[in-house]
Amino acid sequence: MAKENPKHRPPSSHNPQADAAGDGHPFQDDSVPKGQPASDARTDDRPDDLQADSERSIDELASLQEELERAKDHALRCRAEMENFKKRISRQADEDRRYANMPLMSDLLPVLDNMNRAIEAAEKTQHGAALREGFRMVAEQFQGVLAKYDCREIAAFHEPFDPNLHEAISQQVTDEFPPNTVVAVAETGFQLHDRVVRPSRVIVSTRPEE
């Protein structure tokens, strides 16, 4: 018998990979449907994940926009409050400067009262003309200083009684004037700018009883 030459042995039809696939080889993915690539099966749920991420991003953006609007509104309110505070401080400072001389004027007015009383007393004497004129000049100069600081007399005589400017110390029955008319001034009042330093002390008319 002739020996078989191994070099001329016919090729075998046996395929190990095919056998392994047919025998349920562990490398085979049974979850992949036939005719569908494995990569497509693993990415079926990605569109849903992307949509969920997009919705979360939109919600977060809306929340950030709301917080930004609240922050802007708070900043505007704080700015408005600061401006109002500055205006109040400025007005208060102006008033403090405007009426800083109130105590001084209040202390000086009794001095003027005494000068006027001295003038009245000098008018009652026969030889007090020079003294009277001297007091009158000093009183006029004193009133000029008060007027320089806008401290002026409050009009009262024959004026309607005003409780904001006048202090009634008595009533006088008369039919010569309408009721509540100032018929006499016991002490002259003064005001600094538009604020009363002291009211005029006055006597007010009243209607006679019928």
Side-chain angles (χ1 to χ4, degrees):
M1 177 181 294
K3 293 183 180 180
E4 183 179 2
N5 189 351
K7 293 182 180 181
H8 295 86
R9 184 179 299 172
S12 174
S13 61
H14 177 68
N15 189 345
Q17 293 181 354
D19 293 342
D23 295 337
H25 194 274
F27 292 102
Q28 181 181 4
D29 188 358
D30 295 335
S31 63
V32 180
K34 294 181 178 180
Q36 180 178 356
S39 59
D40 293 343
R42 288 193 298 269
T43 59
D44 284 344
D45 56 347
R46 286 187 179 180
D48 294 338
D49 293 341
L50 292 175
Q51 183 177 0
D53 292 341
S54 177
E55 291 177 354
R56 283 194 297 269
S57 298
I58 293 174
D59 293 340
E60 291 176 357
L61 179 60
S63 178
L64 290 174
Q65 288 177 340
E66 291 179 0
E67 292 181 3
L68 179 60
E69 292 299 326
R70 287 195 295 268
K72 287 181 178 179
D73 184 66
H74 180 69
L76 290 175
R77 287 199 302 269
C78 290
R79 183 175 181 180
E81 291 177 359
M82 180 59 68
E83 291 297 328
N84 291 334
F85 176 74
K86 289 180 179 179
K87 291 179 181 179
R88 288 196 300 270
I89 293 298
S90 179
R91 286 195 299 268
Q92 185 63 44
D94 290 341
E95 288 189 2
D96 291 343
R97 288 191 297 268
R98 185 178 178 85
Y99 300 106
N101 294 323
M102 282 280 289
L104 175 62
M105 299 302 170
S106 181
D107 291 339
L108 290 177
L109 292 181
V111 179
L112 181 61
D113 294 337
N114 291 332
M115 288 183 183
N116 290 327
R117 293 188 185 100
I119 294 172
E120 292 176 359
E123 289 176 348
K124 297 178 181 179
T125 63
Q126 297 179 354
H127 305 287
L131 180 62
R132 181 176 64 248
E133 187 62 23
F135 272 118
R136 181 175 289 110
M137 291 177 61
V138 174
E140 290 177 355
Q141 184 180 9
F142 198 97
Q143 289 177 339
V145 173
L146 295 178
K148 180 180 178 180
Y149 292 93
D150 202 20
C151 184
R152 303 179 183 277
E153 293 184 5
I154 295 175
F157 190 57
H158 290 175
E159 295 288 335
F161 177 76
D162 185 348
N164 297 315
L165 303 175
H166 308 142
E167 178 186 349
I169 60 174
S170 179
Q171 288 184 328
Q172 179 176 328
V173 178
T174 179
D175 55 1
E176 296 182 7
F177 302 97
N180 292 325
T181 300
V182 176
V183 295
V185 179
E187 185 177 74
T188 303
F190 285 81
Q191 61 183 25
L192 179 63
H193 304 297
D194 57 352
R195 186 173 295 181
V196 175
V197 179
R198 75 177 185 190
S200 295
R201 304 183 69 200
V202 299
I203 299 174
V204 183
S205 65
T206 183
R207 190 181 300 277
E209 295 182 1
E210 297 180 357

